């Protein structure tokens, strides 16, 4: 495997140098002899170094990846997954390559969801630049690093991240191994994922952190406020019901609330748009949109499933305003929830509520998405009374 790695690096360097020589063809004629001499040197390098190395690898056959090596790789993968310390393997851009079981439990992220996404996206905004810089330094071979960060889902709890360089076999680039550990601030319950004894007869019972309990209480208050708004005034048509629901969600839960009511089979009409203070022009532009031109809304109607997006990759996901500008870009959306209002009896979509968070506000969490899904069923039930 070492021979294969070395040959791959040499070949990649050769390809880069050939590209530079091709670009040098435009130099003045008096400098062409120097370029020609460099080209001849590269051809000699292929004949004397790369070709013999290729022949040695061909003669060796598949011995470099025999069953013993494969068994060793499987053992290392199993060890990585089972090690009791939260460990994440990222590249120099902090994109997650692998995440072990302890890391998924510690961060609350599914490995399948996190893989392929930058680890910095799951950190608090203030820590992202520093973490990205330290990871790049480690990947460059400047030594191990350590820093304190905060997870986006647990911003009140500091986490110690230790970074070290790692060269996976068969890969030309250095990766970064990140070990995550809670910072001991004198209270075991302040650490995310901590398990401890809560009393006799209950060994290993998880102790919830104060911040998690506070967030849960806030969500329950929001659900209670929504129920009160829906049941407190039994009169009103669909538009009035959606206006009241949007008023509860606006500000305390989302910076933007966009409510679309059903206007016939498969059709929607925009009923309510609430945005941040001072954004009257942007609010008017979103209100003038056709809901059918919003891909996320159309997908919610078609599939009947909610959508949670953090740092949306597609700026066109919520359509465009009259000037052609993407709504998500104009509203500076950092995370969104798009939830269909499903009738319990028929399963038909009675409307769609879309929530935006913008700027430096924390992204919607899975717990918040679950609470919004619960409220959407309450709103849909209330809409059925107005038919």
């Amino acid at each position: 495997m070492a021979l294969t790695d070395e040959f791959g690096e040499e070949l990649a360097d050769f390809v880069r140098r050939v590209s530079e020589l091709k670009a040098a063809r435009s130099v003045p004629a008096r400098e062409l002899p120097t370029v020609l001499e460099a080209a001849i040197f590269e051809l000699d390098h292929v004949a004397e170094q790369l070709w013999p190395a290729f022949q040695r690898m061909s003669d060796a056959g598949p011995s470099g990846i025999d069953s013993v090596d494969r068994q060793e790789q499987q053992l290392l993968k199993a060890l990585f997954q089972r090690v009791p310390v939260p460990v994440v393997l990222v590249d120099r851009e902090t994109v997650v390559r692998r995440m072990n079981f302890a890391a998924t439990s510690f961060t609350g992220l599914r490995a399948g969801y996190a893989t392929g996404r930058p680890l910095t996206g799951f950190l608090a905004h203030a820590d992202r630049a520093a973490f990205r810089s330290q990871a790049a330094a480690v990947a460059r071979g400047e030594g191990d690093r350590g820093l304190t960060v905060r997870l986006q889902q647990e911003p009140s709890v500091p986490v110690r991240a230790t970074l070290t360089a790692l060269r996976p076999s068969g890969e030309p680039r250095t990766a970064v191994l990140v070990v995550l550990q809670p910072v001991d601030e004198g209270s075991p319950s302040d650490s995310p994922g901590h398990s401890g004894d809560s009393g006799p007869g209950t060994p290993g019972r998880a102790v919830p952190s104060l911040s998690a309990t506070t967030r849960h209480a806030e969500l329950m208050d929001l659900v209670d406020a929504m129920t009160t708004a829906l049941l407190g005034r039994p009169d009103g048509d669909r538009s009035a019901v959606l206006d009241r629901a949007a008023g509860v969600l606006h500000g305390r839960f989302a910076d933007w609330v966009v409510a679309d009511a059903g206007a016939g089979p498969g059709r929607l009409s925009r009923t309510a748009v609430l945005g941040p203070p001072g954004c009257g022009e942007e609010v008017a532009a979103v209100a003038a949109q056709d809901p059918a031109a919003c891909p996320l809304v159309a997908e919610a109607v078609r599939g009947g499933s909610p959508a949670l997006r953090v740092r949306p990759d597609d700026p066109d996901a919520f359509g465009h305003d009259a000037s052609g500008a993407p709504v998500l870009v104009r509203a500076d959306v950092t995370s969104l929830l798009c939830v269909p209002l499903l009738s319990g009896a028929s399963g038909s979509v009675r409307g769609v509520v879309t929530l935006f968070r913008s700027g430096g506000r924390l992204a919607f969490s899975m717990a918040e998405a679950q609470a919004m899904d619960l409220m959407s069923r309450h709103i849909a039930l209330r809409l059925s009374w107005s038919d």
Side-chain angles (χ1 to χ4, degrees):
M1 294 299 290
L3 180 61
T4 305
D5 293 343
E6 184 178 353
F7 179 78
E9 292 178 1
E10 288 286 346
L11 188 60
D13 289 339
F14 171 74
V15 171
R16 283 194 294 269
R17 292 194 298 270
V18 169
S19 298
E20 292 175 358
L21 288 172
K22 287 181 179 179
R25 289 180 297 182
S26 59
V27 300
R30 63 179 181 275
E31 298 181 10
L32 281 178
T34 303
V35 177
L36 179 60
E37 184 177 354
I40 294 175
F41 174 81
E42 293 299 340
L43 291 174
D44 287 339
H45 177 67
V46 172
E48 297 175 3
Q49 301 292 331
L50 296 183
W51 178 250
F54 176 75
Q55 287 181 318
R56 287 195 298 271
M57 289 195 320
S58 299
D59 294 339
S63 59
I65 51 172
D66 57 14
S67 61
V68 176
D69 286 339
R70 285 195 295 269
Q71 290 176 2
E72 184 177 355
Q73 290 180 8
Q74 291 174 357
L75 176 62
L76 291 175
K77 289 180 180 179
L79 233 117
F80 174 84
Q81 289 295 342
R82 295 297 179 182
V83 68
V85 179
V87 180
V88 184
L89 184 67
V90 302
D91 63 15
R92 64 182 59 204
E93 284 82 26
T94 78
V95 174
V96 175
R97 300 277 303 280
R98 291 183 183 275
M99 176 179 283
N100 72 348
F101 298 138
T104 59
S105 176
F106 183 82
T107 60
L109 301 170
R110 290 183 295 105
Y113 174 77
T115 301
R117 291 179 167 86
L119 184 60
T120 50
F122 308 114
L123 304 180
H125 287 271
D127 299 327
R128 294 178 182 179
F131 186 90
R132 192 179 296 111
S133 177
Q134 298 287 18
V138 172
R140 290 194 301 265
E142 298 180 8
D144 300 344
R145 302 294 176 92
L147 71 162
T148 300
V149 297
R150 295 174 188 272
L151 298 176
Q152 194 175 63
Q153 293 185 339
E154 197 84 16
S156 62
V157 179
V159 175
R160 185 67 180 174
T162 304
L163 291 73
T164 186
L166 181 68
R167 185 68 173 271
S169 61
E171 297 188 11
R173 291 195 173 189
T174 302
V176 179
L177 198 67
V178 183
V179 180
L180 303 174
Q181 294 174 298
V183 176
D184 185 8
E185 295 187 327
S187 174
S189 62
D190 285 342
S191 303
H194 171 79
S195 294
D197 294 344
S198 59
T202 57
R205 184 176 177 181
V207 180
S209 66
L210 178 61
S211 58
T213 304
T214 301
R215 287 201 308 274
H216 179 72
E218 290 173 348
L219 287 178
M220 291 302 98
D221 287 344
L222 180 66
V223 173
D224 178 69
M226 177 64 73
T227 304
T228 302
L230 295 175
L231 299 180
R233 294 176 56 187
D235 58 324
D237 56 8
R238 289 187 175 188
S239 297
V241 171
L242 287 176
D243 284 341
R244 292 201 296 271
V248 173
L249 297 170
H250 182 240
R252 66 189 295 183
F253 192 64
D255 298 309
W256 287 78
V257 181
V258 181
D260 300 314
R267 294 189 298 110
L268 296 173
S269 63
R270 185 134 299 171
T271 303
V273 178
L274 301 177
C279 294
E281 185 178 344
E282 289 81 359
V283 169
V286 175
Q289 260 192 314
D290 179 7
C294 302
L296 273 174
V297 175
E299 180 60 29
V301 174
R302 193 164 47 245
S305 300
L308 169 61
R309 299 282 188 275
V310 178
R311 303 174 314 281
D313 296 327
D314 182 9
D316 303 324
F318 204 75
H320 304 78
D321 60 16
S323 67
V327 170
L328 297 184
V329 175
R330 189 170 182 181
D332 189 24
V333 176
T334 54
S335 67
L336 64 86
L337 270 173
C338 187
V339 184
L341 307 177
L342 298 175
S343 171
S346 62
S348 61
V349 178
R350 296 185 175 274
V352 177
V353 174
T354 308
L355 310 174
F356 297 156
R357 284 183 179 174
S358 57
R361 190 166 182 173
L362 289 179
F364 287 110
S365 66
M366 293 299 293
E368 289 173 324
Q370 185 177 8
M372 185 59 214
D373 185 59
L374 174 64
M375 289 185 286
S376 71
R377 294 198 294 270
H378 295 173
I379 298 171
L381 181 61
R382 179 63 183 83
L383 287 174
S384 67
W385 299 351
S386 302
D387 290 344

